[in-house]
Amino acid sequence: MLKNHLKIALRNLKKHKFYTFINILGLSVGVAVCMIISLFVINELSYDKHFKDADQVYRIHADIIFGGNHWNMIQAPAPMAEALPAEFPEVEYAVNFRTRGSYLVKKVDQNTKEDGVIWASKDYFNVFGTPLLEGIQDGVLAEPNTMAISKSIAEKYFPGESAIGKSLILDNDMDFRITGVYEDIPQNSHFHFNFLLAMEGLDEAKTTTWLSNNFQTYLKVREGTDPEALNQKLQSLVVKNITPELGKLFGEGASLETMFAEGGKMEYDIQPLLDIHLKSDLMGEFEPNFNVTYVYLFVAIALFILVIACINFMNLSTARSANRAKEVGIRKVMGSFRSHLIRQFLMESILLSFISFLIAVPILSLLLPFFNDLAGRELTVPFSQITFYGILILGAVGTGLLAGIYPAFFLSGFKPISILKGKVSMGMRSGVIRSSLVVFQFAVSIILIIATIAVFNQLNYIQTKKIGFNKEQIVTVDDVYALGEQAETFKREVLTNSMMESGTITGFLPVSGTWRSDTPWWGEGKDPKQTENLVSLQNWSVDYDYISTLDMEIVNGRDFSIQYPSDSNAVILNETAAKNFNFVGDPIGQKIFTMADNNEFNLKDMMGKTVVGIVKNFHFESLKENIGPVMIFLNEKPNGIASFRFHSGDTESVVTFIESKWKELAPGQPFTYSFMDDRFGNMYASETRLGKVFAIFAAFAIIIACLGLFALTAFTAEQRTKEIGIRKVLGSSVRSIVFLLSKEFTKLVGIAFLIASPIAWWVMNLWLEDYQFKIQLGWQVFLSAGVFAAVIAFLTISYQSIKAATSNPVDSLKSE
């Protein structure tokens, strides 16, 4: 019986080559896209699971509101890592990390810039269980000036030999002895470190204050630990240690409750390691994370695209039911049961599904590299895993059943007497269902089109919005500290070129990947022990040319000037900072104060900074954030990044000239440059990728939907050949016949638009809620999507409609 079903299925597929081709093409593309999304989702869900006992590892999360600022961050006090296992028996180990950016690394002479460098305390390997290839686990990071390196770094600097006991020099003056080599951290991790520097050699790690949050702290708990109970104990630990420090600063009786009574807070809790990649977007993340909402969204898109492809099969099968009605009637008269017919039709759909899945695999292999480039991932097709083939078989069977179950029951339900009398009627029910499926196809496509337009409109808004500084025509050179005392000489030499307008040296820039520092300050005459008088703001040290090079606008007062020696003790505030200080009268000339280095309010031993200017607010974080308060002051020995504004259109010549000056003053040091607009764009790399992914998926969805529409139009025209012939004989024009054949499908696209628009509006407004500065979804977005879908649908329909309308009526009526 099975052999017979298979033979008949092959004959039917071969007999109707055009419809078979449309079905297989649409389904194979849909399956390939679905498999790409599935590989992506599986990869995202696998993040950090490779770490040993990953479900027992947590990270400290701090939620602090103070001085007009809100920090939702991963930083914690330095003493916390040591206190956790000492105070709580359920905490087995804890490790501190301290990021310091990139380092220059060399074995002997030639430096290489390395990014994956971090300071880590001695229990890193006990917490994460990263496989150690060389070295003794308990002694790897136990001594100052020692390090552990990844396998790839060991092969890079010490090819063919053991790295243990060897040394590498960091930033030209720090000699680190290698005590361990560990396996490279897999791609599906929320951090990737190639150098672990022993925290024992870092002076700031020895601080005992609980009021400073500069370290990322992870802990490993014992099996069976209750996270909620540990959270409560953690907050008690913080209160116990911070209260004495608050009393020293603000007087006896000061506590977290009194200090943060009015809208402020200082709370710490633990965050599961396995939640970080998909459920965390905190200040200080090691790398950009993904969003679990997008995972759900991509799963929905994958299912929708697969369903759209299955709908093509359903629609074509039910539309062509009249052609198979006699077959059903004769089979029933000859004794076939309905169950036999259902099995026959399901066999056809499953066979078509298997063929589509076989074709989808090479399409997947072809598309996956492009998707990897787009998504920034390293996905591969798991050909070596048996489960992959099992999933393919189950997927093919499941998809075949999904696509074929309705047509099978519909076709097998025909009554043989009516069929053989020639009274075949598909009925309104079939037409309504088929129309509903077409509406669903185009509704999904239109939602994706609207989402794509909205994402790119937001990105365009970000790129064109006035952000308070001019990011264009600025080249930045990293690692100026490698120049030593010649940093200012480098700046002057570069500015001798007529292509250059101005230059500044500082690590504090209003783009991602640059320095940040914040401290509480208060205005003159105000009591700092009253927390409402404290303003926590960014403290940026710059040189005289910072404001002019970045083309910022001074709205009150003046810029720094070498003509004013007193500017060494002057500051410029942004508008937000000036507002938060609540100055009485003009802020220009007023003084502000901060704590002494020993974290004490010592007004007698320190001089206040004088406000000489107010700079117009500028964005220095993502547009998802409000503009925070910033204070800018002069630094006699600026360091970090050199930024040069140029007016030449020959960018290559500009970079070549700057590089030549660098090599003159810093021979043997790597020259690393970028453009400020690119650094700004990197802040929105995930949004850019999301927009491109939506665009691609929308294209696939509408292509597959149009394939089905194309075939349905062809079949409709085929069924109405005689009607078209009679209409032409009676004088109908080509235009009227095209309109007749197109209006039904065009109406369905219009209904799809009406359904899709409110859904898309709701979804995209939810997405835009993450942004403090955003576009408004105007009617133009929806109209553009609707017109685009309608045009594509009409072009798809019009080919078959025009072909039918221009046919010779004699050919269709000669047999009558």
Side-chain angles (χ1 to χ4, degrees):
M1 182 66 75
L2 181 64
K3 182 180 178 182
N4 182 54
H5 286 332
L6 184 62
K7 186 183 294 185
I8 294 171
L10 285 171
R11 285 176 180 171
N12 276 312
L13 293 178
K14 188 176 180 181
K15 180 180 179 182
H16 304 286
K17 294 184 179 67
F18 172 73
Y19 299 107
T20 300
F21 171 76
I22 292 293
N23 276 324
I24 290 176
L25 178 61
L27 195 55
S28 58
V29 171
V31 168
V33 172
C34 190
M35 285 196 285
I36 289 175
I37 297 176
S38 299
L39 290 174
F40 176 76
V41 169
I42 290 169
N43 180 71
E44 298 306 298
L45 294 175
S46 72
Y47 262 67
D48 296 319
K49 289 184 178 179
H50 55 81
F51 287 119
K52 185 180 179 182
D53 301 324
D55 59 336
Q56 295 172 229
V57 179
Y58 294 83
R59 181 175 72 181
I60 299 296
H61 157 235
D63 190 7
I64 301 172
I65 299 177
F66 181 73
N69 281 336
H70 185 191
W71 295 280
N72 208 5
M73 60 186 183
I74 68 171
Q75 283 81 2
M80 186 173 283
E82 187 176 344
L84 286 170
E87 295 281 342
F88 307 137
E90 60 265 52
V91 178
E92 198 170 0
Y93 301 103
V95 59
N96 262 350
F97 291 117
R98 181 70 168 103
T99 55
R100 283 293 188 82
S102 59
Y103 282 79
L104 299 177
V105 179
K106 65 181 178 181
K107 184 178 178 182
V108 182
D109 298 319
Q110 188 67 36
N111 268 316
T112 302
K113 184 175 180 178
E114 299 284 2
D115 291 320
V117 186
I118 197 159
W119 296 81
S121 56
K122 59 185 178 62
D123 281 322
Y124 167 83
F125 291 97
N126 289 323
V127 171
F128 291 100
T130 303
L132 196 62
L133 305 179
E134 293 184 76
I136 302 172
Q137 181 163 310
D138 291 336
V140 170
L141 299 172
E143 299 177 12
N145 299 321
T146 60
M147 67 159 64
I149 59 175
S150 67
K151 178 183 176 182
S152 59
I153 292 297
E155 292 172 350
K156 177 180 177 180
Y157 287 94
F158 306 98
E161 58 179 316
S162 173
I164 297 297
K166 308 290 196 311
S167 293
L168 288 173
I169 301 170
L170 274 64
D171 285 352
N172 297 314
D173 61 0
M174 295 188 293
D175 196 320
F176 281 82
R177 179 170 53 89
I178 298 168
T179 56
V181 177
Y182 56 89
E183 194 66 66
D184 288 352
I185 296 174
Q187 176 265 335
N188 55 339
S189 305
H190 80 280
F191 61 66
H192 297 88
F193 305 135
N194 288 318
F195 298 82
L196 299 175
L197 310 184
M199 189 82 75
E200 296 296 321
L202 190 64
D203 289 338
E204 65 180 289
K206 300 171 185 176
T207 181
T208 58
T209 180
W210 284 71
L211 286 175
S212 180
N213 296 276
N214 292 313
F215 293 80
Q216 293 90 355
T217 303
Y218 290 72
L219 58 144
K220 182 178 181 181
V221 301
R222 300 184 191 279
E223 192 172 354
T225 298
D226 181 3
E228 290 302 320
L230 183 57
N231 269 333
Q232 295 178 8
K233 295 170 70 174
L234 174 64
Q235 190 64 18
S236 300
L237 175 69
V238 172
V239 170
K240 183 179 78 171
N241 286 277
I242 283 184
T243 300
E245 295 188 38
L246 292 175
K248 185 178 178 181
L249 286 172
F250 297 100
E252 189 175 349
S255 66
L256 285 180
E257 289 76 13
T258 59
M259 295 295 299
F260 298 94
E262 297 182 6
K265 66 177 178 178
M266 181 181 284
E267 297 177 355
Y268 294 85
D269 57 26
I270 58 174
Q271 181 181 32
L273 174 69
L274 297 178
D275 283 354
I276 291 175
H277 178 64
L278 292 178
K279 299 179 181 179
S280 181
D281 185 21
L282 303 175
M283 185 185 303
E285 296 284 1
F286 290 124
E287 298 176 11
N289 291 323
F290 203 61
N291 190 319
V292 69
T293 303
Y294 293 158
V295 171
Y296 297 145
L297 185 61
F298 286 161
V299 168
I301 290 172
L303 292 175
F304 283 147
I305 288 177
L306 185 61
V307 169
I308 286 172
C310 291
I311 285 173
N312 286 347
F313 180 85
M314 295 181 191
N315 277 346
L316 289 176
S317 297
T318 55
R320 293 170 50 242
S321 57
N323 291 358
R324 302 198 65 177
K326 289 183 179 179
E327 175 191 345
V328 171
I330 292 171
R331 280 174 173 273
K332 284 192 171 184
V333 169
M334 297 296 292
S336 287
F337 294 108
R338 187 179 185 186
S339 59
H340 295 161
L341 294 171
I342 290 173
R343 284 199 296 269
Q344 172 63 56
F345 293 130
L346 286 177
M347 175 61 70
E348 290 182 20
S349 64
I350 291 172
L351 177 61
L352 186 142
S353 178
F354 265 98
I355 295 171
S356 299
F357 268 74
L358 288 174
I359 296 173
V361 172
I363 295 176
L364 168 66
S365 301
L366 185 66
L367 295 179
L368 196 56
F370 297 101
F371 182 82
N372 281 335
D373 290 340
L374 183 65
R377 296 294 188 265
E378 298 175 5
L379 306 179
T380 57
V381 184
F383 287 117
S384 60
Q385 298 180 19
I386 296 177
T387 53
F388 173 67
Y389 300 99
I391 291 172
L392 281 182
I393 293 171
L394 289 175
V397 173
T399 302
L401 290 174
L402 174 66
I405 194 74
Y406 171 67
F409 277 89
F410 176 76
L411 293 173
S412 62
F414 287 147
K415 295 179 180 180
I417 296 176
S418 300
I419 293 170
L420 297 177
K421 286 182 177 181
K423 299 178 180 178
V424 181
S425 175
M426 293 183 289
M428 285 297 296
R429 186 181 174 189
S430 170
V432 169
I433 292 176
R434 191 161 58 251
S435 297
S436 301
L437 294 175
V438 171
V439 167
F440 175 82
Q441 285 181 309
F442 275 90
V444 171
S445 302
I446 291 169
I447 289 172
L448 290 174
I449 293 169
I450 292 172
T452 302
I453 295 173
V455 170
F456 278 108
N457 280 358
Q458 176 66 13
L459 289 172
N460 182 64
Y461 170 78
I462 289 169
Q463 294 296 333
T464 57
K465 183 185 184 297
K466 291 182 179 180
I467 54 176
F469 68 97
N470 184 3
K471 64 184 182 295
E472 308 298 331
Q473 297 287 95
I474 294 181
V475 61
T476 61
V477 181
D478 294 338
D479 309 317
V480 171
Y481 59 82
L483 293 165
E485 297 297 324
Q486 300 194 81
E488 279 295 328
T489 303
F490 172 67
K491 175 183 167 182
R492 286 195 301 270
E493 287 292 316
V494 170
L495 292 178
T496 59
N497 192 302
S498 60
M499 294 185 293
M500 304 298 172
E501 290 185 11
S502 60
T504 183
I505 297 178
T506 177
F508 294 96
L509 295 173
V511 289
S512 62
T514 59
W515 300 352
R516 297 291 182 266
S517 175
D518 59 82
T519 311
W521 291 69
W522 63 92
E524 186 175 14
K526 294 186 178 181
D527 183 3
K529 294 185 179 181
Q530 300 294 320
T531 54
E532 63 269 17
N533 294 329
L534 295 177
V535 177
S536 185
L537 70 166
Q538 288 287 318
N539 307 276
W540 291 14
S541 60
V542 303
D543 62 11
Y544 285 102
D545 302 310
Y546 184 81
I547 299 289
S548 59
T549 299
L550 295 185
D551 199 16
M552 293 178 173
E553 180 184 351
I554 298 291
V555 295
N556 190 8
R558 61 176 176 83
D559 192 1
F560 296 124
S561 172
I562 201 168
Q563 297 177 359
Y564 294 89
S566 60
D567 277 2
S568 60
N569 204 44
V571 297
I572 295 174
L573 302 177
N574 73 345
E575 292 172 305
T576 301
K579 179 181 178 182
N580 288 358
F581 275 111
N582 287 319
F583 291 117
V584 177
D586 191 350
I588 303 302
Q590 301 204 40
K591 289 185 177 181
I592 59 174
F593 299 84
T594 190
M595 297 180 188
D597 291 338
N598 58 0
N599 279 342
E600 292 184 359
F601 297 118
N602 194 349
L603 299 180
K604 295 179 181 179
D605 297 337
M606 65 181 300
M607 183 182 296
K609 299 276 188 183
T610 303
V611 179
V612 299
I614 306 296
V615 66
K616 188 176 181 63
N617 274 345
F618 57 90
H619 290 275
F620 58 91
E621 300 291 354
S622 164
L623 266 66
K624 292 181 178 180
E625 311 293 337
N626 280 317
I627 299 175
V630 180
M631 180 198 73
I632 301 171
F633 63 95
L634 284 173
N635 186 350
E636 293 181 0
K637 293 184 177 180
N639 209 332
I641 301 170
S643 303
F644 298 101
R645 179 172 295 283
F646 60 92
H647 53 71
S648 170
D650 188 358
T651 305
E652 186 176 348
S653 296
V654 170
V655 173
T656 301
F657 174 75
I658 296 174
E659 184 176 10
S660 68
K661 292 300 177 183
W662 176 274
K663 289 180 177 178
E664 286 178 17
L665 297 171
Q669 306 297 338
F671 175 73
T672 309
Y673 75 94
S674 59
F675 294 96
M676 190 167 287
D677 54 350
D678 291 336
R679 285 178 178 261
F680 181 82
N682 289 339
M683 298 165 70
Y684 307 98
S686 61
E687 285 86 352
T688 302
R689 283 197 292 265
L690 180 67
K692 291 178 179 177
V693 168
F694 272 138
I696 290 172
F697 290 159
F700 278 121
I702 203 161
I703 286 170
I704 295 169
C706 285
L707 281 173
L709 194 60
F710 181 81
L712 273 178
T713 309
F715 179 76
T716 301
E718 179 186 320
Q719 292 295 98
R720 302 177 71 174
T721 301
K722 290 183 173 61
E723 176 192 344
I724 293 169
I726 293 170
R727 286 179 177 273
K728 290 193 73 173
V729 168
L730 295 176
S732 291
S733 64
V734 171
R735 180 186 297 178
S736 63
I737 293 174
V738 169
F739 177 77
L740 175 71
L741 295 175
S742 304
K743 68 176 182 179
E744 185 64 29
F745 294 114
T746 306
K747 183 172 70 175
L748 296 179
V749 175
I751 295 171
F753 171 73
L754 294 176
I755 294 172
S757 294
I759 297 173
W761 180 87
W762 176 71
V763 170
M764 296 316 298
N765 270 296
L766 283 179
W767 178 72
L768 287 169
E769 282 182 1
D770 288 339
Y771 292 87
Q772 296 297 327
F773 301 88
K774 57 196 173 187
I775 61 168
Q776 295 296 321
L777 288 176
W779 58 269
Q780 300 91 336
V781 173
F782 301 93
L783 182 62
S784 300
V787 169
F788 179 78
V791 168
I792 294 297
F794 182 76
L795 291 176
T796 303
I797 298 166
S798 61
Y799 172 77
Q800 292 291 356
S801 301
I802 293 171
K803 181 181 177 183
T806 55
S807 62
N808 191 339
V810 174
D811 295 332
S812 58
L813 299 176
K814 61 185 179 182
S815 60
E816 295 298 318

